[in-house]
Amino acid sequence: MGFRRWIVCGGALELNPDHVVPQSGTKIKGQDGGVKNLIKRRLQGDDKRKSSTQLNTAGLSVAGRYGSKESLSIPVSAAKSLDLSTDQTTVIRPVHSSILGEKYCFQVINSENNHCFGCSSAAERDRWIEDLRRAAHPNKDNCERTEYSLSLWVNEAKDLPPKKRYYCEVHLDGTLFARTSSRAVGKSVQRSSQAVDGGSGAAATGHGGGASGGCQLFWGEFFELDNLPPVNQITLHLFRDEDPKKKRHSKDDSIQHPLGSVALNLAEIKGRAYQEKWYPIVPYKPPGTSTTKDQVGPQASLRVKSKFKILKILPIERYKEFAEYITVNYVDMCSSLEPLLNVREKEELAGALVHVLQSIGKAKEFLIDLGSAEVQRLGENEALIFRENTLATKAIDEYMKLVGQKYLIDTLGDFIARLYSGGESCEVDPQKCSVSDLPINQRHLKETCADVVKRITDMQDSFPAELNEIFSSWVSDCEDRGQTDIGHRLISASLFLRFLCPATLSPSLFGLTQAYPEPNTLRTLTLTAKVIQNLANFTLFGEKEEYMFFMNEFLEQHWEPMRGFLQKVSDPDSEIAMARFDGYVDLPLRLAVLHNLLVDIIYVMKQDQIDNLHPLPSILNQITEFLGQEAQQIPVSSVHGTKPTYLPPKDLPKYSPLQMVQQLPIDSKSSQGKERQRKQVQRAFSVPSRPSRHQRQPVKRQTSKEELPTQCQDYNQDQDPCLEISSPSNAIKSKAPAAKVLWIKQNHSNEPYQKIRQEQEETSILDRHAQELGELRLGVEQVTERELEMAKRLEDFIVLTQEQNTQLQSEVQELRKLLAIREEQLASTTFRLGVIEEEREEDERKLNVAVAAVERMNVLEEQFAGLLKDVHQLYAVNADGMRKTYINT
């Protein structure tokens, strides 16, 4: 991978995205020491590149005095001589391992100098960082501060030119903070634009390298960047790695500058939740030009998942009541909250609680209580122990990562590094490998698993003593319940199911390496993890995985060593040396994280659920009042609105986190007599770095001194017997005069004949050796042909998979289109139904009016009939009266 030159600008050490060198060849006086030459050799290796930026190495003079060999970091012991109390602008932060190629480094930046120190472990680095921060700011815990952190997944890129290697760099405000590994893409795959963005059209064309179609490149690398300065811009630069076949000083502009960049919007990624999307890659525009040179496809993009957190931390006094509540009531709080949490919230809450309780000395009791509660909850369903997404499961995961990191590296670090460097194939599925390769691959898998089992059962002296105490408490509790077997299942389920086997399967997620494994390595890790998990569970492979039946004998042979290992790690009186966690946990930071998390979780609950958590919501609101008006307050009912009267127990002072001052540099000699004697931590003087690609020495061939028959017998013990070849030692010795035998009469007249016969025997032996050597060469050629054939088949499979992926993406886009059409139709139908409903209501109203009118007409008709009747009666009466009057007259 091409590296960048270190630049010191105004006391801040940064890496420019452009590969820069001094514009002129003029030497700067006093800056031509070992560090400058070292940086030039290590990070650039090319003084031909042009730039307008001058290299300033004045801040690196200390590294020149303390640096050794190819290490860019200073031994951490040199940090004792730093005077940080006079400069209030000092910044101390960790350095990602991808920058220097060395793990566990940290950086000290002030207004005058810039130093980079190397440690032997992450715990030692964290203690030194905290120690130096307290030296620079003695009253740090009693001051208000703001912490910035970035969690970033660089997953994959698409539509890149094929047959090239690429890597990404993470820049914060122009400063390089991390770098992915270099990955190669395969052959170009015809990818339609419809599969990319849902449109229609012809196949996309990549401009870089003149290849049509784009290739997909997968990194899958995670970066956790803490202790960051205030950030305004986050940028990912895509670079093409230089071709190792080209000459060192070849002028290739494509590796001098990034191919393109992606800018992340801070407003979109702020918060607790990850935001994942495809970002288009903007092509790089060289300075002084008006156009861009497209070296990536027109639809090139990068898939990134990220979140950026800004956390305001109050003085530790503000968290006193909250910390005391957590110390005493963590069991009740967890039991009340767990039914209301989803999986992600359980994971975050468990992690925050583990760090807080570890800082105040209650983490072991917390995990012991959770393990006992898990056994009591599951009852007879012991097979489900630590297999569900519970707070107990997530807490033990986080705790083992916290205290067991060094043990994990000591146990599996070399094994993972060997597999990543290129190991033998362990594919044992007959459907995925040829019949001829199956016996060899089975032997490779057995050897690989045997190596891992030996590393685990030999038990490194870095095994965490805290885990031993937790495991022994679990076993003792289960024995008291009469469930001894469940105690050992608890240990195997936590140590193997939740720690060792996941670390074997995904080493990049556990800090063992950064890069995602290649397919062949990933398959080996998967099969190895399966075998180790079955071994820890004391179960054999069944019918679901018939191709693993041959490993059942291996499992039975290693059951006793595994039982012995589980017994040792759970024995409270074990005499084996163990290590205690010597890292540092920032208590105010962790309390702020826990407070912020609980507020977000409880804020969205129903009021009756919030009231059941009393007095926790009121305690959280008291802290929130100091965070400003924009901070959200948990709604508390009037019954619990007043400040709760909190009566701490009598023995609370010995649990109070404010009375437990963490002493960072602890001397192992001052430990109590009951504690195990620990080895003195040895400061690392330097961390050896990998030599530059151009400085690697060619590998010398070594000739084997072993005899050929022994090699054949050792190599093929389980196969058919090889040809018996007589040892050439007698023939070689026959060149010297033979010793005289007293009872055999010497015939000196036959000396020429004997010499001829001797030469014929030597010639015959050499011929046989030559024939066997030819057979071996033929076998090597056949193996090489098979490897090439397998590589071709793998390449064809990858191409087929990519084509199928393209087809599936096309089908998904079609389904999305169809879904959109159906949604439009549904919306139209819904609208029409609304209109019809309105018309029906109007008609019903009119009908009611008509019915009322009919009823009114009926009433009027009845009244009219009554009036007619009255008129007729009046008419009859008048007629009678008129007739009588007429008669009388």
Side-chain angles (χ1 to χ4, degrees):
M1 180 184 297
F3 291 91
R4 306 293 170 276
R5 176 180 296 278
W6 286 96
I7 304 174
V8 182
C9 300
L13 184 62
E14 59 183 11
L15 288 175
N16 199 346
D18 297 336
H19 298 236
V20 296
V21 296
Q23 185 176 10
S24 62
T26 306
K27 293 185 179 180
I28 303 175
K29 187 176 180 179
Q31 295 183 1
D32 200 14
V35 172
K36 180 178 177 181
N37 293 332
L38 172 62
I39 295 177
K40 291 172 69 175
R41 291 196 307 269
R42 177 77 180 275
L43 300 183
Q44 180 165 354
D46 186 4
D47 55 358
K48 302 291 185 180
R49 297 168 180 170
K50 296 182 179 180
S51 175
S52 60
T53 306
Q54 286 284 345
L55 177 65
N56 181 6
T57 58
L60 300 177
S61 58
V62 178
R65 294 195 300 269
Y66 294 98
S68 62
K69 297 182 181 180
E70 290 293 320
S71 176
L72 288 180
S73 61
I74 307 171
V76 71
S77 58
K80 297 179 181 178
S81 61
L82 295 177
D83 184 12
L84 305 177
S85 59
T86 58
D87 193 346
Q88 298 299 320
T89 63
T90 301
V91 176
I92 301 123
R93 65 189 182 200
V95 179
H96 197 268
S97 60
S98 61
I99 302 301
L100 298 178
E102 300 173 10
K103 293 183 177 180
Y104 318 128
C105 295
F106 66 93
Q107 191 177 5
V108 179
I109 305 172
N110 54 30
S111 58
E112 297 179 358
N113 291 316
N114 191 328
H115 311 276
C116 192
F117 299 92
C119 300
S120 60
S121 65
E124 183 186 16
R125 179 196 62 192
D126 294 342
R127 285 190 293 109
W128 272 103
I129 290 177
E130 183 60 23
D131 197 8
L132 294 175
R133 285 181 175 177
R134 288 187 180 276
H137 306 283
N139 203 26
K140 180 176 72 74
D141 288 348
N142 296 324
C143 298
E144 185 174 305
R145 55 192 168 104
T146 304
E147 290 284 341
Y148 304 86
S149 62
L150 174 65
S151 301
L152 182 70
W153 280 94
V154 182
N155 287 323
E156 58 182 328
K158 62 182 178 182
D159 200 24
L160 297 179
K163 299 181 180 179
K164 303 292 183 182
R165 299 187 68 88
Y166 302 92
Y167 64 95
C168 283
E169 290 184 349
V170 181
H171 290 250
L172 307 183
D173 291 341
T175 302
L176 174 62
F177 273 77
R179 178 189 290 114
T180 68
S181 59
S182 178
R183 287 279 184 170
V185 293
K187 290 184 177 180
S188 176
V189 178
Q190 295 294 336
R191 186 188 302 272
S192 65
S193 59
Q194 182 178 358
V196 176
D197 59 0
S200 59
T205 303
H207 297 287
S212 62
C215 290
Q216 197 156 359
L217 173 63
F218 183 79
W219 282 290
E221 296 184 18
F222 176 69
F223 301 92
E224 185 76 30
L225 304 177
D226 298 320
N227 303 313
L228 297 176
V231 177
N232 295 319
Q233 183 180 10
I234 301 176
T235 309
L236 277 72
H237 296 287
L238 176 68
F239 287 89
R240 182 170 66 84
D241 200 3
E242 60 180 329
D243 190 350
K245 297 181 181 179
K246 292 185 178 181
K247 295 182 179 180
R248 178 178 176 182
H249 299 290
S250 61
K251 296 182 178 179
D252 189 354
D253 292 336
S254 61
I255 65 172
Q256 306 291 325
H257 305 290
L259 301 179
S261 302
V262 165
L264 305 184
N265 189 351
L266 280 180
E268 294 179 356
I269 64 176
K270 285 182 181 178
R272 285 177 40 235
Y274 278 100
Q275 303 297 327
E276 183 177 14
K277 62 181 292 187
W278 284 96
Y279 293 88
I281 299 176
V282 180
Y284 173 74
K285 180 180 180 181
T289 60
S290 58
T291 59
T292 60
K293 182 180 179 181
D294 293 336
Q295 299 184 23
V296 295
Q299 296 173 341
S301 55
L302 195 67
R303 185 165 68 92
V304 178
K305 183 169 70 171
S306 59
K307 64 178 179 180
F308 185 76
K309 292 188 292 185
I310 302 175
L311 186 63
K312 186 177 181 180
I313 303 173
L314 301 174
I316 194 171
E317 182 67 24
R318 304 298 186 192
Y319 301 103
K320 184 177 185 299
E321 187 174 357
F322 177 51
E324 291 172 349
Y325 177 85
I326 296 297
T327 303
V328 179
N329 298 284
Y330 60 84
V331 174
D332 295 336
M333 184 186 71
C334 291
S335 60
S336 301
L337 286 175
E338 184 164 13
L340 309 175
L341 304 179
N342 55 39
V343 176
R344 183 174 66 88
E345 291 172 341
K346 289 179 182 178
E347 183 176 356
E348 294 177 349
L349 179 59
L353 274 175
V354 163
H355 282 85
V356 170
L357 295 176
Q358 174 67 19
S359 179
I360 61 182
K362 297 283 288 184
K364 288 186 296 185
E365 297 180 25
F366 172 63
L367 292 171
I368 291 171
D369 294 338
L370 288 181
S372 301
E374 188 82 351
V375 173
Q376 185 176 2
R377 182 180 66 87
L378 293 175
E380 299 297 328
N381 298 326
E382 59 183 49
L384 299 178
I385 291 178
F386 287 141
R387 293 179 180 271
E388 298 177 314
N389 291 318
T390 62
L391 271 176
T393 301
K394 301 302 181 182
I396 192 64
D397 287 354
E398 189 66 25
Y399 189 75
M400 286 189 294
K401 289 180 181 179
L402 178 64
V403 303
Q405 181 66 23
K406 189 176 187 303
Y407 164 72
L408 190 65
I409 293 175
D410 293 345
T411 305
L412 299 178
D414 294 339
F415 167 75
I416 297 297
R418 179 174 63 82
L419 285 187
Y420 268 65
S421 62
E424 301 85 1
S425 174
C426 295
E427 182 55 69
V428 293
D429 191 345
Q431 298 180 356
K432 299 180 181 179
C433 68
S434 62
V435 178
S436 59
D437 293 337
L438 187 58
I440 301 176
N441 294 350
Q442 289 178 347
R443 178 168 57 85
H444 290 164
L445 182 59
K446 286 184 178 180
E447 294 173 353
T448 301
C449 294
D451 183 19
V452 177
V453 172
K454 187 176 185 303
R455 291 173 180 271
I456 294 175
T457 55
D458 283 352
M459 194 172 175
Q460 301 284 341
D461 56 1
S462 58
F463 186 87
E466 294 87 350
L467 291 183
N468 171 256
E469 295 169 1
I470 292 173
F471 293 162
S472 61
S473 298
W474 284 349
V475 171
S476 176
D477 183 63
C478 291
E479 288 177 353
D480 295 340
R481 297 170 182 260
Q483 300 173 314
T484 306
D485 295 336
I486 296 183
H488 291 288
R489 183 175 289 275
L490 267 173
I491 299 172
S492 62
S494 58
L495 188 58
F496 287 89
L497 179 64
R498 313 301 306 186
F499 191 52
L500 291 176
C501 289
T504 303
L505 184 61
S506 303
S508 60
L509 298 182
F510 286 78
L512 295 176
T513 185
Q514 178 182 331
Y516 190 83
E518 297 292 341
N520 187 30
T521 304
L522 179 60
R523 182 59 175 169
T524 300
L525 294 174
T526 302
L527 295 176
T528 304
K530 284 184 178 181
V531 174
I532 301 304
Q533 187 60 57
N534 276 28
L535 179 61
N537 292 337
F538 300 101
T539 57
L540 301 175
F541 287 100
E543 297 178 355
K544 293 182 178 179
E545 296 175 309
E546 293 182 356
Y547 61 90
M548 296 292 288
F549 276 171
F550 74 98
M551 291 299 296
N552 285 339
E553 181 181 358
F554 173 88
L555 294 174
E556 293 175 347
Q557 292 174 354
H558 290 82
W559 276 351
E560 286 304 318
M562 180 58 65
R563 289 192 178 95
F565 170 74
L566 295 177
Q567 182 65 32
K568 286 188 293 185
V569 299
S570 61
D571 185 6
D573 301 323
S574 176
E575 299 179 356
I576 299 175
M578 299 183 186
R580 289 198 171 273
F581 176 71
D582 58 348
Y584 178 81
V585 177
D586 191 345
L587 182 57
L589 170 62
R590 295 301 172 180
L591 286 172
V593 171
L594 182 58
H595 166 265
N596 188 50
L597 178 62
L598 287 174
V599 170
D600 290 345
I601 291 175
I602 300 176
Y603 181 80
V604 297
M605 291 183 180
K606 297 179 180 179
Q607 191 61 49
D608 56 344
Q609 296 173 342
I610 296 176
D611 295 339
N612 292 334
L613 297 174
H614 177 76
L616 179 60
S618 299
I619 297 175
L620 295 175
N621 283 341
Q622 294 173 25
I623 300 174
T624 307
E625 291 176 358
F626 297 97
L627 296 177
Q629 298 180 354
E630 67 277 6
Q632 60 184 8
Q633 294 252 358
I634 300 174
V636 179
S637 61
S638 58
V639 178
H640 305 299
T642 58
K643 183 176 180 179
T645 303
Y646 183 73
L647 297 177
K650 296 180 180 180
D651 57 346
L652 181 62
K654 66 179 182 180
Y655 298 114
S656 178
L658 299 181
Q659 300 186 22
M660 296 183 62
V661 180
Q662 300 191 24
Q663 301 294 334
L664 298 177
I666 300 176
D667 189 1
S668 61
K669 295 181 181 179
S670 62
S671 59
Q672 299 296 331
K674 295 182 181 180
E675 299 289 336
R676 300 184 180 91
Q677 188 68 21
R678 292 186 297 160
K679 295 182 179 179
Q680 183 71 22
V681 179
Q682 203 170 18
R683 303 298 184 192
F685 289 92
S686 65
V687 184
S689 62
R690 302 182 182 90
S692 177
R693 177 181 302 162
H694 307 296
Q695 296 176 355
R696 295 177 181 170
Q697 299 295 331
V699 180
K700 296 182 179 180
R701 294 186 178 274
Q702 297 180 355
T703 58
S704 175
K705 297 181 180 180
E706 298 181 358
E707 295 180 356
L708 188 58
T710 305
Q711 291 180 352
C712 184
Q713 294 170 5
D714 293 340
Y715 178 75
N716 204 3
Q717 292 178 355
D718 299 332
Q719 305 296 329
D720 295 335
C722 60
L723 296 175
E724 296 183 359
I725 304 174
S726 60
S727 175
S729 59
N730 295 333
I732 297 173
K733 293 179 180 179
S734 63
K735 294 181 180 180
K740 293 183 179 180
V741 184
L742 298 178
W743 59 85
I744 297 180
K745 184 177 180 180
Q746 299 291 334
N747 187 1
H748 299 287
S749 61
N750 294 332
E751 287 183 358
Y753 173 75
Q754 292 177 355
K755 291 182 178 179
I756 295 173
R757 184 175 181 183
Q758 182 179 351
E759 292 176 356
Q760 290 177 351
E761 291 178 354
E762 294 177 358
T763 305
S764 177
I765 293 174
L766 292 176
D767 291 341
R768 277 185 286 175
H769 288 177
Q771 181 181 359
E772 292 166 2
L773 182 60
E775 293 177 354
L776 290 176
R777 289 177 177 174
L778 180 60
V780 171
E781 292 177 357
Q782 292 176 352
V783 171
T784 303
E785 291 178 358
R786 285 200 299 269
E787 290 179 353
L788 293 175
E789 183 182 355
M790 291 299 297
K792 185 177 181 303
R793 291 172 59 186
L794 178 61
E795 190 173 331
D796 295 340
F797 175 74
I798 293 174
V799 172
L800 179 61
T801 304
Q802 292 177 342
E803 292 176 353
Q804 292 177 350
N805 188 21
T806 302
Q807 183 179 359
L808 290 175
Q809 290 181 356
S810 177
E811 293 177 357
V812 168
Q813 295 298 331
E814 291 294 336
L815 290 176
R816 288 177 178 174
K817 286 184 178 181
L818 183 59
L819 178 61
I821 294 173
R822 293 293 183 267
E823 288 178 349
E824 291 179 358
Q825 294 177 351
L826 179 61
S828 176
T829 304
T830 304
F831 176 76
R832 291 171 60 188
L833 286 176
V835 173
I836 293 173
E837 181 66 21
E838 292 178 356
E839 293 177 352
R840 185 190 64 80
E841 292 177 356
E842 182 67 20
D843 293 341
E844 184 177 357
R845 186 182 63 81
K846 292 179 178 179
L847 179 61
N848 293 334
V849 172
V851 170
V854 170
E855 292 178 354
R856 181 64 177 168
M857 287 294 296
N858 293 334
V859 172
L860 293 175
E861 288 179 354
E862 291 179 355
Q863 293 177 354
F864 183 71
L867 291 174
L868 289 177
K869 184 178 180 181
D870 293 342
V871 168
H872 287 302
Q873 291 179 354
L874 291 174
Y875 181 77
V877 170
N878 292 332
D880 291 342
M882 292 177 64
R883 187 171 54 249
K884 290 180 180 179
T885 303
Y886 178 77
I887 293 174
N888 294 328
T889 57

